[in-house]
Amino acid sequence: MDAPATTPMMTQYLALKREAGECLLFYRMGDFFELFFDDAREAARILDIALTTRGEHGGAPIPMCGVPVHAAESYLARLIRAGCRLAIAEQVETPEAAKRRGGSKALVARDIVRFVTAGTLTEEALLEPRRANVLAAVCEVRGAIGIAACDISTGRMELEDCAPEMLGAALARLGPTEVVAPEGWEQAPDDAIARPAAGFASDAGEAKLKDLHGVATLDGFGQFGRAMLAAAGGLLAYLDHVGRGRMPLLLPPVARAPAQTMAMDEATRASLEVLAASQGGRKGSLIDAIDRCVTGAGARALAEDLSAPLTDLAAIQARLALVSWLHDDPLLRGDLRTVLRALPDIGRALGRVVAGRGSPRDLGQIRDGLAEARRVRDHLAQREDRPALLDALMPALGGHGALTDLYTRALVPSPPTTRDQGGYIAEGYDAALDALRQTSGHARRAIAALEAKYRAETGIAALKIRHNGVLGYFVEVPARAADALMAPESGFTHRQTMAGAVRFNALALHEEASRIAESGGHALAAEEAHFEELVAHAVAAREAIALTATALARIDVAAGQAERAAEGRWALPHVVDAPCLAITGGRHPVVEAALAETRGGGAQRFVANDCTLSPEDRLWLIGGPNMGGKSTFLRQNALIVLLAQAGGFVPADSATVGLVDRLFSRVGASDNLARGRSTFMVEMVETAAILAQATERSFVILDEVGRGTSTYDGLALAWAVVEAVHETNRCRCLFATHYHELTRLAETCDALSLHHVRAREWKGDLVLLHELAEGPADKSYGLAVARLAGVPPAVVKRARAVLDKLEKGRAATGGLAAGLDDLPLFAAAAAAEEEQCDELRERLKALDVDALSPREALDELYRLKREADPG
Ligand code: ADP
C-alpha cells in the first residue's frame, strides 16, 4: 500500500469502513488485523501500541496500527472493556483464488464477517464467568415502554413492558452491558446505541420470534404486548446485523410481569450495593459477601436472584425448602458441590456452538456437563425426602443419553479448542477417517524410514528430515557435509542454503510428503463434516441442554446459599404475607465480614440488633451519634428482607419477614454529581419517587434525608417526609436522622416510635456501642465524634464554646423547632388544601359558560384566579 492517492486497497477499506460505521474496523492483512486513520489512533491509545503510518491517502500519511491475528482476542477484550465496538473484516478468498480471478495484482476480497460488541459476546476469554452479559432493546409504543433483553452467551431472553418512569428501575435490574433504542427517540437511555426505528416494529418482532422458534403462535410462551414485541423486533434486528445474518442462541422468550418481583429502583440497588460496591467492583458488595457458588452459571443465577427477589410466597418457600434441605445435610451438600465444581459451563459452550463459534472443546464440555448432570440426578434419585423444587428440576438433569453417547463415541476425551489441526474425532467413529489417518500415519513412518535409509546411503549421521510451512518436507545436512549431496547424480536437489546447514529435496521424500498432505487434507475435511453434524445435534437439542444448565445452576445456588448460611450461622427466614418484620440478632453481612477480616488489629465484633415493625409500630425514627451504626442498621434490615425474598437464609438469629412489594433505600445527599444534578436535587428527586410509589406493603429506609440543604430547610423537609410516609404511604420505614427535633413527631404520629444507637462518654472519650435502644438519643455527640476523627483539640474546644452559646440561645427561644407546637397535623393540613381546591371546583361546576358574555367570562376567570392564589 505504498502507492499514492487512492489505491484499490484503500477503496476497499473505505467501503468496508462505511459499512462498519462507528465501529473500529479490524482489517485483515495476512497474519495481522490492521486499523487505519482515527480507528488506529483510538486503538493505539487504548491498547498502548505503536501508531505508525502506511502509505498515503489524499497526500497525507495514513495512521496505522496492527495486532497479530493469533493474539487478537486479548486486544479485542481490552477494546470492548474500554467501551468500543468492533467490526472484523476478514479475507474471504485465498490469494490464489484472487489471482485466478483477477490476475497477479488482484486484491483479495474482504468482507465484514461479524461485529464484536459488549452485549453480543460469546467467547470464553471475553466474558466474565460469574456475570451474565445482557443486551437490551427498549422502545415506546403508545405510552408504554417495551424492553427486550437477552444474554446470547446462554440464550436467555425476556420481554417486559413498563411505565416510562419505571424504565430506569427495569434497566437497573437487568444491568445490560449494551442497550439499543430507536434512532431519534427522545426518552432513549443516555448510553443507548441508536438503531433504525423501522426495526422496532411489533409485527416484525412477532414474526421473527415465531420464525426463530418454528411456532405458529407465541401463546405457548406467554402473553406479549405490542411494546414488548416491538422491542423484540429491535433486538432481533440488531442481533441479525451484528451476526451478519447468523442468529445466536436464543431460547423462547419469557414474559416478565413486574409484580412477580420486588421492585427496586436504581438508587436503591446502588445504595444497598447489591451487585457492586459504591466504589465500583464486586468487592464489598452484597453478592461478594454471600456468593459461595462453585460454578459460573450458579454465580450468574445468584446475581439474578438478588437482582429480582420474588414476591410470590409459594415460590420463595420452594427455594427456601431446598436451601434448608441442603443446609441440614452437610454431607450431601459437600458431595454435590464437589461434583458441581468440576462441571464445565455448558450453557456458555452451547451459546458458542449455536452462534457458529463453537470449538471441538465446546462439544466436549457439553458432553461432559450433560453426563455429569445425569450422575447428579442419579445421586439425588436415591433420596426420598427431596423438596418439591428439586423434584421439579430432576427431569431436566437427564434425557440426554443419545447425545452424550454420540459425543462420547465421536469425540476424543479432551478435544482441542481449534479445528485446523484436526485430531478431535475419536478413532473408531468413522472407518474411512481411520483409513485416511492410517495412510498418513504410514507415510509418516515411511518418512522416518527414509531418514534412516538416507543416513546409511550417504554416511552422514547428522542428516535429518524436517518440515516447515514454506518448504514442506526436506532433507537437511550440516554445511560441511553438503558437498556430496550437491553432486548432480546424488539423487538430491538443492533447495536452500542456511548458515551452517543446507536443505535438499528428494524424489521419494516428495512422494511420501504428498501422500501425507493428501490424506491429511481428506482427513481434515472428513473431521469438518463430522463436526458440522455434531453441532447440528447440539443445536437441535438446545432448549433441553439450556434447561439442564439452568437446573444445575439452581442447585448450585441453593447449595451455595446453604453453605454460606452454615458458615455464618444464619437463620431460615419465616416469610409471611403480612406487613410486618421481626428480626432478632440481625447483622449486616458485608460490615460483619469486613470487621472479621480486620480482627487481627484489635478489631471489634459485630453487634447484632433487633428490628420489629408492625402496622401499629411501622416507622422507626433512629437517632444517635455519627458513626454510631445507624446506616448499618438500616441497610442490614433491608438486606435481610432482600435475601429472604431471594430465597436464601439471612444473617440473623431469627427473622419473620412480611412480603415486601417495593424496597426503597435512600441516603441523604449522596454524591451523584456525575449526572449533573446537585446532590440535594438528587435527594429530593429520589424522595419524591418514594412518596409517589411506596405502598402499605413496601419497606423504606431513609438515611439522613434533608442533610443536603440548610438546617431549616432540611429539618422542615425531613419532618414533612416522615409525616407523609406515616400518614399516606403507611409503609414500613426506618428513618435515621440527626435532627433531634424530629423526636417530637412521636407525639402526633401513633405508629412511629423513637430509637437510637447507644454511645457513652468514658473518661472524656466517646465509646460507640453500635447497639440499638428504645427512646430518643439524649445528645448528639458531634464534638466527641470530631475529636475521635482527629480534629485538633483547639478547634474542638472552640466549637464547644460556640455550642454553649447556641444552646443558651436555644433555651431562650425554644430552638430550631420553636413554634412547631401549633402546627396542624399532616393529615389535617393536607385535607385543608384539598378542600380549598374543591371549593374552586364547585364554583367552576356551577358556572354556566354559555350564559356569560366574553367580558363576564374574563372577569370570572380573574376572580377564580385571585381565589386560587390570593398572594
Ligand atoms: P452512622 O450511620 O450512624 O454514621 P454507620 O452505620 O455508618 O454509622 O457505622 C459506622 C461504622 O461503625 C461502620 O463502618 C462499622 O465499622 C461500625 N459499625 C456499625 N454498626 C456496627 C455494629 N452493629 N457492630 C459493630 N460495628 C458497627
Side-chain angles (χ1 to χ4, degrees), residues 66-91:
V67 303
V69 169
H70 69 84
E73 211 161 74
S74 70
Y75 291 107
L76 292 181
R78 281 161 63 192
L79 290 170
I80 291 285
R81 240 173 269 135
C84 302
R85 287 180 294 145
L86 319 164
I88 312 286
E90 286 281 3
Q91 301 176 179

Side-chain angles (χ1 to χ4, degrees), residues 591 595 604-607 609 625-632 770:
V591 176
L595 288 180
Q604 328 118 15
R605 224 172 40 85
F606 190 90
V607 181
N609 280 304
N626 272 324
M627 292 299 288
K630 299 186 293 299
S631 309
T632 307
H770 303 303

